[in-house]
Amino acid sequence: MSNKQTLVVIGNGMVGQHFLASLVASPVKDQYHIVTFCEEPRPAYDRVHLSSFFTGTSAKELSLVEDGFFEQHDITLHLGDKAATIDRTAKTVTSSKGICIAYDKLVLATGSYPFVPPVAGHDRAQCLVYRTIEDLEAMAAAAKTGKVGTVVGGGLLGLEAAKALKDLGLETHIVEFAPRLMAVQLDEAGGAMLRRKIEQLGVIVHTGKNTSLITDGEQCVNKMCFADGEELETDIVLFSAGIRPRDELARACGLEVGQRGGIVIDNDCKTSDADIYAIGECALWNGMIYGLVAPGYAMARTVVANLEGNFYSSFRGADMSTKLKLMGVDVASIGDAHARSQGALVYSYQNDANEVYKRLVVSEDKKYLLGAVLVGEASGYSTLLQYCLNGIELPENPEALILPHRSDESVGLGPDALPASAIICSCYNVSKGKLCTAIEAGCTTVDALKTSTQAATGCGGCSALLKSVLNSELAKQGVEVNTDLCEHFAYTRQELHALVRVEQIKSFSDLLAKHGKGLGCEICKPTVGSILASQWNEHILEKDHLGLQDTNDNFLANMQKDGTYSVVPRITGGEISPDMLIALGQVGKKYKLYTKITGGQRVDLFGATLEQLPLIWQELIAAGFESGHAYGKSLRTVKSCVGSSWCRYGVDDSVSLAIELENRYKGLRSPHKIKMAVSGCTRECAEAQGKDVGIIATENGWNLYVCGNGGMKPRHADLFATALDKETLIKTIDRFLSFYVRTADRLQRTSVWMENMEGGLDYLKSVIIDDKLGLAEQLEQQMQTVIDTYQCEWKTTIEDESKLKRFHHFINSDATDDNVVFVEERGQIRPARDDERKHFNLVEVA
Amino acid sequence: MQWTDVCSVSDLQENSGVCALVNGLQVAIFYLPADEHGVYAIGNYDPIGKANVLSRGIIGDIKGHKVVASPLYKQHFDLQTGTCLEDEWVTVPVYACQIEGGRVQVDTRLIAPLRQLIETSTNAQQEGVSA
């Protein structure tokens, strides 16, 4: 073997793993054989997001270790084997399975264990803790028989644990010793607001309660007795009353530990033995145990720097600011939230109606931000944190930072105001300077920047700030993103839409003459064609519009690879009678079409030639069908489940609503295709949350989801409004769709449209629901115009001789295209492959 | 010229294309009423998409070239040279086309890319000689 030294890491939790990842990224790794012991049966996973385990996240998804990490970096991993003793004289670590490793350097990342108060009965059945995946599995097992769950501890972790109990469907209680929730991070008013919001979610909060005994319950497995004489029946008791450092190994080998536990470390994270480091929740620095992951990560990086010989990079404490979403409630705490600093001044804003509480703690001279509390609305967190951490001078009226602003004025801190040293991502310690270097080196997209710097890949809280730094840097570099639609129009689609609307322009040639140049192209022509259609709704095959139409619109059918077409009649809501189905089958049979069911609950008929299209539609229209617009960038289908008329679980009549919506919006031309769905209950069989517009029935009315899609980059829709009656629902969708049609870019689905919007979902809500721009009436009117002028494009076409002339392969012959060759497969046709076309010769140069 | 009568001008679609069968060949004819030539004719076969569809593409101009965009995969073919703007090695036949007395006529003897091919090969030969 080489002259490599051996480095042993005890503990493969989040911090232990972060240490390994930082180490293997450093050149110093080549000096060490790395060995790690992991007591748990699986390597490091994300404890911060543990409660998502109950909402479908698997143990594998929680994992923080990439497949093959240990093998790739030649790290010996002893999984499910606990380090049992350390012999500092012999410099060895011995595991409980008897493996003995000699070390040169040792890193203790043993973490912490949940503190269980020494209450009588704390070890009874179904008295559990909340830290590992195994703990979660025990909770899930207990929840199968139990109905009530109680968390002891109303801190950060306790609230997370309460969410887990709630997700398991239990009646959930929180019992807290202190007089308020999150007593460490929040002031009294903040704690009260949080309590109010949590209680609204159905969690029962008991504060100022001292548990004195846990004993047999009458209705439940357990009964908790409190010092004030009150009692609480509960099946599960979940202790989440803080953590205690795992320092027993260190204690046993004589390392210095704190009075109340914790392995004492210096600024280099070294213990009292210079060859042994301690990092994370087991370490005691300056009398403090850090129970958050970011300081642990910082310690891990300090050790790597120390091994590299960089003794200037020491651990100097960590910021304990936090921002999180607890059961959907935004909560954030920054710095000195309790205003304990000398002379500190407090500004606070409380809005009981909207359930928002904000508090600023500033220095005596009102120049610097010392701390803040945000409950109910935490969008200002990044800005405030930057003020606080970088000592940036506050604006003249600091209260503006927490007061709601009515106009568009932004009081946010622009990225330019931040110094290069400002830490943007505290999970991975990425400064603004580091981001700027990466941007200069060519990372010009958010994704590239994230991959290159790891910023925003931890908790993700800094992603908005990262994006604004990126945009501002790109603007400084003079990288100007050209937003012109194409060489013919120096406008965006949104601007063209406005021109068409305001100047009442009704044809492409007019628009080109007034605002464009050249002849146009396959980008601007269909875009303008779509704008004209959504604004004036004339038939798209009228003489003025014909040449604008993209491949499929051009012949009102979907062109396939061999130049033949597929036909999709509308089947509203996916409801079809046997007679209609038979009619459809007869047409398919007569024209020998390949038939397939689509994902949108319709039937697609393939292999129709140009001359067959009008004949097919004549029969379909006679049978009562109309165009399905599968060829257009327009509303496709409103998918539905069978709903309350048949389903045992149905809450409302999803089919009727789907049919009504599909009939309302059919024919609407838009920047890209629009898909909708309606589910009759929260089982969500119609997959509404994967659609641009999704509706789910609840006991209280319809819940509206928007901006979801499937396809290449699937995205779940966001909840937009809840408990709507039908009238309000339709009004909201009218506005939403009209606004999308007006303002989206060409070929931009609703998801990307919303994500690129400054202010995102909240802004969209303010425009659509609160009518912030005063556009609502216009948007509704626009939709009504489209609805009132609907026509079945195929019906109009087959009734107009002049339009039908084009539906022949040859303008001067009744011959058909001899390049269209079908073969049979599974009893139906399909286009012949090249090797099957023996008789066909290309037109060659003679 | 050897003109073949194809159809009436009224059979054409303004600012769009139709396909005609001329001497056994599928010819895409594009009608731009405002243009100096008025009509353009190229082969209807899309050599990239491998289907007879070019007459159904959108016409326009890209950097000064009058083009049709294939309705299948959107490559641009120059209406005057037959060259594909995305790949100069791919070409489609170009035919002479005119409007005479309200009738559309096509000469199916190639004017391009044959002429180009001859020109390039002649140039190459000359270079070869001089070298």
Side-chain angles (χ1 to χ4, degrees):
Chain A
M1 294 271 265
S2 63
N3 49 5
K4 276 186 181 181
Q5 295 199 335
T6 301
L7 184 145
V8 176
V9 184
I10 300 180
N12 188 239
M14 294 181 78
V15 171
Q17 179 61 28
H18 189 82
F19 171 74
L20 291 177
S22 308
L23 181 61
V24 299
S26 156
V28 78
K29 69 169 188 291
D30 297 330
Q31 299 173 24
Y32 296 101
H33 284 299
I34 307 167
V35 180
T36 187
F37 287 95
C38 178
E39 166 193 282
E40 289 189 49
R42 51 177 70 79
Y45 53 89
D46 186 351
R47 282 190 226 278
V48 175
H49 298 108
L50 207 54
S51 67
S52 64
F53 187 71
F54 290 124
T55 47
T57 309
S58 66
K60 181 150 175 58
E61 285 169 287
L62 283 172
S63 175
L64 292 175
V65 183
E66 281 171 36
D67 284 342
F69 173 84
F70 296 103
E71 296 80 359
Q72 191 190 330
H73 297 291
D74 208 14
I75 298 172
T76 312
L77 168 71
H78 295 287
L79 204 59
D81 194 4
K82 179 183 171 181
T85 54
I86 300 169
D87 182 338
R88 284 169 54 204
T89 323
K91 294 183 86 172
T92 57
V93 176
T94 308
S95 76
S96 45
K97 286 186 183 163
I99 293 168
C100 182
I101 310 276
Y103 69 82
D104 296 288
K105 298 283 180 199
L106 179 61
V107 177
L108 301 174
T110 47
S112 64
Y113 63 91
F115 170 62
V116 177
V119 179
H122 68 79
D123 49 359
R124 289 170 49 84
Q126 302 199 5
C127 289
L128 307 169
V129 294
Y130 180 77
R131 181 168 176 87
T132 65
I133 288 180
E134 284 66 34
D135 294 337
L136 296 193
E137 285 166 351
M139 276 168 70
K144 277 188 188 143
T145 53
K147 287 195 182 64
V148 185
T150 302
V151 177
V152 179
L156 250 169
L157 211 63
L159 289 164
E160 270 284 312
K163 177 184 189 305
L165 289 178
K166 196 95 191 31
D167 289 340
L168 286 168
L170 298 175
E171 177 189 317
T172 306
H173 296 258
I174 297 174
V175 171
E176 166 61 45
F177 179 71
R180 63 174 179 275
L181 294 174
M182 289 182 69
V184 179
Q185 293 89 357
L186 301 183
D187 66 314
E188 203 180 319
M193 186 63 81
L194 176 62
R195 174 181 187 148
R196 196 168 139 171
K197 300 195 72 125
I198 300 263
E199 285 187 330
Q200 266 176 16
L201 297 167
V203 175
I204 304 142
V205 180
H206 315 263
T207 51
K209 290 277 181 225
N210 188 3
T211 312
S212 52
L213 173 71
I214 303 171
T215 179
D216 282 337
E218 280 156 34
Q219 291 97 40
C220 297
V221 176
N222 290 305
K223 180 169 77 181
M224 300 173 70
C225 305
F226 303 117
D228 60 6
E230 283 188 32
E231 294 176 349
L232 175 63
E233 292 260 345
T234 182
D235 293 299
I236 298 176
V237 180
L238 195 56
F239 289 106
S240 187
I243 53 160
R244 292 292 181 269
R246 296 270 307 259
D247 57 9
E248 65 272 17
L249 268 177
R251 232 173 246 277
C253 69
L255 290 176
E256 189 187 344
V257 292
Q259 230 172 17
R260 297 173 57 203
I263 309 164
V264 174
I265 57 167
D266 63 10
N267 291 354
D268 292 332
C269 300
K270 275 185 183 153
T271 66
S272 52
D273 181 327
D275 288 325
I276 304 181
Y277 298 87
I279 55 178
E281 293 176 339
C282 66
L284 182 73
W285 178 84
N286 205 15
M288 289 246 328
I289 298 272
Y290 288 99
L292 292 178
V293 74
Y297 284 1
M299 291 180 198
R301 287 189 297 267
T302 300
V303 175
V304 173
N306 201 267
L307 293 172
E308 285 168 349
N310 177 3
F311 301 109
Y312 297 103
S313 167
S314 58
F315 182 75
R316 294 191 187 87
D319 175 56
M320 297 292 279
S321 301
T322 35
K323 177 193 167 196
L324 64 166
K325 226 184 179 70
L326 293 164
M327 295 188 255
V329 181
D330 283 314
V331 182
S333 165
I334 293 172
D336 180 14
H338 298 284
R340 292 195 181 115
S341 313
Q342 181 78 36
L345 302 172
V346 171
Y347 294 87
S348 61
Y349 168 75
Q350 181 161 349
N351 181 336
D352 283 345
N354 293 348
E355 300 186 317
V356 173
Y357 173 77
K358 297 180 178 188
R359 166 181 165 109
L360 288 186
V361 179
V362 307
S363 61
E364 201 168 2
D365 57 6
K366 295 198 284 183
K367 277 192 173 156
Y368 303 103
L369 185 68
L370 303 175
V373 171
L374 305 169
V375 179
E377 206 272 311
S379 58
Y381 175 77
S382 309
T383 301
L384 294 177
L385 186 65
Q386 293 300 335
Y387 271 114
C388 187
L389 292 183
N390 297 300
I392 299 166
E393 207 165 305
L394 286 167
E396 203 170 328
N397 303 308
E399 65 269 28
L401 293 170
I402 51 171
L403 290 176
H405 28 281
R406 306 231 167 272
S407 60
D408 286 336
E409 66 177 302
S410 169
V411 294
L413 188 58
D416 290 346
L418 298 174
S421 62
I423 297 301
I424 305 294
C425 169
S426 42
C427 292
Y428 286 98
N429 196 36
V430 184
S431 65
K432 180 186 162 192
K434 198 165 169 184
L435 286 181
C436 294
T437 312
I439 294 166
E440 269 166 37
C443 297
T444 53
T445 65
V446 170
D447 281 345
L449 202 53
K450 280 163 82 169
T451 311
S452 156
T453 63
Q454 279 192 290
T457 59
C459 72
C462 61
S463 36
L465 191 56
L466 175 127
K467 194 176 169 207
S468 61
V469 169
L470 175 65
N471 289 344
S472 136
E473 287 306 304
L474 287 180
K476 266 188 242 162
Q477 287 178 18
V479 178
E480 205 176 313
V481 184
N482 184 358
T483 54
D484 292 357
L485 184 64
C486 64
E487 66 175 79
H488 307 101
F489 289 99
Y491 297 96
T492 62
R493 181 189 176 279
Q494 181 176 354
E495 289 162 346
L496 288 177
H497 199 287
L499 289 172
V500 165
R501 198 169 63 233
V502 175
E503 299 182 14
Q504 304 265 309
I505 294 172
K506 300 205 168 175
S507 72
F508 178 80
S509 49
D510 272 4
L511 186 67
L512 191 70
K514 281 188 181 157
H515 301 287
K517 58 176 189 230
L519 299 176
C521 65
E522 85 288 352
I523 306 283
C524 60
K525 282 185 169 181
T527 303
V528 174
S530 164
I531 293 173
L532 293 170
S534 63
Q535 188 64 26
W536 314 119
N537 216 14
E538 293 175 348
H539 197 287
I540 61 169
L541 298 187
E542 289 298 329
K543 189 171 152 230
D544 278 350
H545 309 315
L546 174 72
L548 311 178
Q549 307 307 328
D550 212 344
T551 310
N552 296 341
D553 275 325
N554 198 8
F555 290 94
L556 307 176
N558 294 46
M559 186 188 279
Q560 303 301 323
K561 60 195 286 186
D562 61 349
T564 65
Y565 290 87
S566 84
V567 172
V568 189
R570 188 168 296 288
I571 298 177
T572 45
E575 184 185 80
I576 185 165
S577 69
D579 281 340
M580 294 288 271
L581 205 49
I582 288 166
L584 204 53
Q586 279 167 341
V587 170
K589 197 168 177 178
K590 178 168 173 186
Y591 294 94
K592 296 193 177 62
L593 304 172
Y594 169 78
T595 313
K596 193 171 186 312
I597 307 292
T598 72
Q601 302 185 330
R602 319 204 266 192
V603 180
D604 207 340
L605 307 161
F606 290 78
T609 58
L610 216 44
E611 48 278 4
Q612 285 177 333
L613 286 174
L615 304 174
I616 288 170
W617 271 106
Q618 210 132 31
E619 297 194 23
L620 289 174
I621 286 167
F625 285 101
E626 56 181 0
S627 167
H629 289 93
Y631 44 80
K633 301 295 178 212
S634 57
L635 175 79
R636 297 289 170 82
T637 67
V638 184
K639 189 176 171 181
S640 70
C641 68
V642 76
S644 59
S645 26
W646 287 91
C647 178
R648 281 185 288 142
Y649 305 106
V651 173
D652 212 332
D653 185 358
S654 47
V655 178
S656 295
L657 181 64
I659 291 172
E660 186 176 342
L661 291 176
E662 187 160 340
N663 280 324
R664 184 173 181 82
Y665 301 118
K666 65 187 175 191
L668 170 69
R669 286 228 152 45
S670 46
H672 209 311
K673 61 187 170 188
I674 301 173
K675 295 185 174 186
M676 299 195 191
V678 184
S679 276
C681 79
T682 51
R683 281 173 184 73
E684 242 284 68
C685 296
E687 296 164 331
Q689 288 168 94
K691 301 284 185 276
D692 297 281
V693 176
I695 297 135
I696 301 176
T698 73
E699 300 285 355
N700 306 320
W702 302 103
N703 281 1
L704 173 63
Y705 292 79
V706 297
C707 303
N709 59 249
M712 189 153 64
K713 205 176 162 208
R715 180 184 190 283
H716 266 155
D718 289 302
L719 183 58
F720 196 66
T722 56
L724 303 175
D725 56 58
K726 199 175 81 182
E727 197 190 339
T728 318
L729 173 76
I730 288 176
K731 204 178 247 197
T732 312
I733 302 173
D734 278 1
R735 293 176 183 181
F736 172 79
L737 290 178
S738 287
F739 193 55
Y740 167 61
V741 167
R742 268 195 190 189
T743 62
D745 277 341
R746 160 185 174 268
L747 299 187
Q748 193 176 41
R749 288 291 292 267
T750 54
S751 55
V752 182
W753 168 65
M754 187 270 282
E755 281 169 358
N756 286 357
M757 210 177 270
E758 208 163 314
L761 186 69
D762 288 337
Y763 174 74
L764 192 57
K765 281 183 185 168
S766 73
V767 173
I768 304 300
I769 299 173
D770 309 329
D771 195 16
K772 180 182 164 182
L773 302 180
L775 277 178
E777 207 184 316
Q778 260 188 54
L779 295 174
E780 285 173 33
Q781 269 171 10
Q782 182 55 41
M783 185 58 72
Q784 198 55 49
T785 308
V786 173
I787 293 163
D788 293 342
T789 51
Y790 168 81
Q791 56 182 316
C792 169
E793 286 168 343
W794 263 112
K795 187 162 184 289
T796 314
T797 304
I798 59 172
E799 287 166 356
D800 182 347
E801 267 314 307
S802 69
K803 288 194 172 69
L804 285 178
K805 208 155 91 179
R806 300 169 60 237
F807 288 87
H808 293 279
H809 190 77
F810 297 113
I811 197 71
N812 60 344
S813 161
D814 289 333
T816 54
D817 182 4
D818 55 4
N819 188 37
V820 172
V821 184
F822 297 121
V823 294
E824 208 178 281
E825 190 171 82
R826 292 185 294 277
Q828 298 204 68
I829 57 157
R830 69 158 168 79
R833 289 191 299 265
D834 285 350
D835 57 310
E836 292 163 334
R837 299 167 176 266
K838 294 192 180 98
H839 308 294
F840 185 74
N841 293 311
L842 302 187
V843 180
E844 283 173 351
V845 177
Chain B
M1 284 292 180
Q2 300 177 6
W3 296 113
T4 307
D5 182 77
V6 175
C7 61
S8 154
V9 176
S10 63
D11 292 330
L12 299 179
Q13 299 290 335
E14 285 187 17
N15 299 307
S16 183
V18 296
C19 176
L21 187 61
V22 190
N23 302 330
L25 298 173
Q26 292 202 17
V27 179
I29 303 172
F30 301 99
Y31 182 33
L32 288 82
D35 184 86
E36 47 184 326
H37 295 107
V39 279
Y40 293 87
I42 62 171
N44 193 37
Y45 185 75
D46 173 355
I48 297 171
K50 297 184 179 169
N52 288 311
V53 293
L54 288 183
S55 62
R56 297 176 231 167
I58 289 177
I59 45 182
D61 60 342
I62 300 292
K63 299 193 177 82
H65 300 271
K66 291 195 180 69
V67 294
V68 60
S70 161
L72 284 167
Y73 305 111
K74 308 289 155 85
Q75 292 89 1
H76 300 97
F77 293 92
D78 190 316
L79 296 182
Q80 286 162 301
T81 66
T83 308
C84 172
L85 263 49
E86 284 74 21
D87 183 349
E88 57 176 324
W89 297 100
V90 176
T91 54
V92 294
V94 178
Y95 307 103
C97 185
Q98 67 171 11
I99 298 172
E100 190 63 45
R103 299 295 297 176
V104 180
Q105 302 172 331
V106 170
D107 182 343
T108 49
R109 297 171 308 164
L110 281 181
I111 55 171
L114 196 59
R115 186 175 294 158
Q116 277 185 312
L117 288 174
I118 295 165
E119 278 170 11
T120 27
S121 64
T122 322
N123 289 342
Q125 277 169 9
Q126 282 168 353
E127 278 165 29
V129 170
S130 62

